[in-house]
Amino acid sequence: MDKTANFIGNTNCQHVNNHINSKLPNVGTTIFAIMSGLATEHNAVNLGQGFPDFPMNEELYELVAKAMKNGFNQYAPMPGWMPLREAIAEKVEFLYGKAPDPDKEITITPGGTYAIYSALTAILHPGDEVILFEPAYDSYIPNVEINGAKAIKLSLVYPDYHIDWVTVKNAITERTKAILINSPHNPTGSVLGEKDIAELRKIVSGTNIFIISDEVYEHLIFDNIPHQSILRHPDLFERSFVCFSFGKVYNCTGWKLGYSIAPALLTKEFRKVHQFNAFSCFTPSQVALATFLKKKDAYLSLSGLMQEKRDHFKMLMKQTRFDLQESYGSYFICGTYGKITDEADKDFAIRLTREFGVATIPVSAFYNEGKDDKVLRFCFSKKKETLEAAVEKLARV
Ligand code: PMP
Ligand code: GLN
């Protein structure tokens, strides 16, 4: 048989399948795709995947349309549209006290997930270790492992999901390349405080350990708690990649636009990865955001708006047999369901979608080994009517 023809013509060929040798053999389809798919299939109210169901700011999409009409439709510069990087630098100075260099320290990326992946890829070599905390956003561990590195998974302490810094200290080895933090935290809504930053500082000082700080929910923090951005702390920033998402700030998750801020040397390596991957991002939205980012109210009002939604959802959920935990930030609030059933969280989440018409996310999906504390995550970044329709259904459970 002509081997060449076989390889080219038949992709189901066993040779080819064996040859793939998956880099992520233990990874299936992400829980967000699964639960959103089920929600559509069963016409359920979707409190699963984290996205708002209300419109984004009208002025912002008019600015994008204007940018397109004005001809900003070709490649943006590889590190991002400079006026946008300048606007980000101004915003960071206003919020956290020191402006990063827009030329050498800020890179616009197609989303926050991509920024985290690029940062990890820029620094990791096979055998390196990355300390991260479970429950963990689902891309972190695959992002580490695809680089041949090892994720050292430490548990946030249940039920308030704080970091046990003694465990972190004990987990440090000569192979520790980075610590990955996320505040406000997905899925639990916990936030890091000043004490956590002090502990982190003690652990990394005098080492070469990098910090990857996922701050996509920087403006979704409630109860007047200040966001402990790594950008407030120049001594920590000098070893950090700080990652953000415009999708979360401007209610446009489908735009997949974000950015990384890192010191010049780190950014140089980051851009080596980025330039041969996406190279650059959608130009019209960058042009629009360069103007819109200057409107402080648009991002400063977000925490108040989301806090109202959290409080409304908490109040509504009192009619149900779910027990909600605290949420101090993010789009999410978690809840236990011991009064209803002792089913595994994944089974229960599927049954809730199919039989009661509400999609959620089982928190065990955020643990590599599927640790099941029987907790579901609810996304409250929804219209009042959506939250009310969901709770009406949940009250029947
Ligand atoms: N980190 C966390 C913790 C998230 O929840 C998300 C997504 N919502 C991201 C990163 C990525 O955001 P983006 O959609 O911009 O890639
Ligand atoms: N970050 C969103 C969530 O946690 C979803 C992102 C995605 O679908 N990849 O729900």
Side-chain angles (χ1 to χ4, degrees), residues 32 48-50 137 186 217 248 332 377:
F32 306 121
Q49 194 178 23
Y137 184 56
N186 178 7
Y217 297 107
K248 303 288 138 127
F332 310 112
R377 187 194 82 175

Side-chain angles (χ1 to χ4, degrees), residues 241-276:
F241 295 87
V242 192
C243 303
F244 298 91
S245 168
F246 286 114
K248 303 288 138 127
V249 182
Y250 294 122
N251 305 318
C252 53
T253 59
W255 281 20
K256 291 300 290 187
L257 200 68
Y259 54 100
S260 148
I261 306 185
L265 268 178
L266 275 58
T267 292
K268 198 170 157 203
E269 293 306 313
F270 182 99
R271 289 181 185 170
K272 286 183 193 174
V273 176
H274 167 62
Q275 70 182 346
F276 295 124

Side-chain angles (χ1 to χ4, degrees), residues 10 25 42 72 80 82 91 118 148 179 201 222 227 290 298 300 318 333 375 389 391 397:
N10 179 5
H42 295 278
F72 293 101
M82 187 45 117
K91 174 175 180 266
S118 306
I179 300 178
R201 173 176 286 117
F222 315 133
H227 170 53
L300 293 178
K318 289 196 175 131
I333 189 159
V375 180
V391 174
V397 186

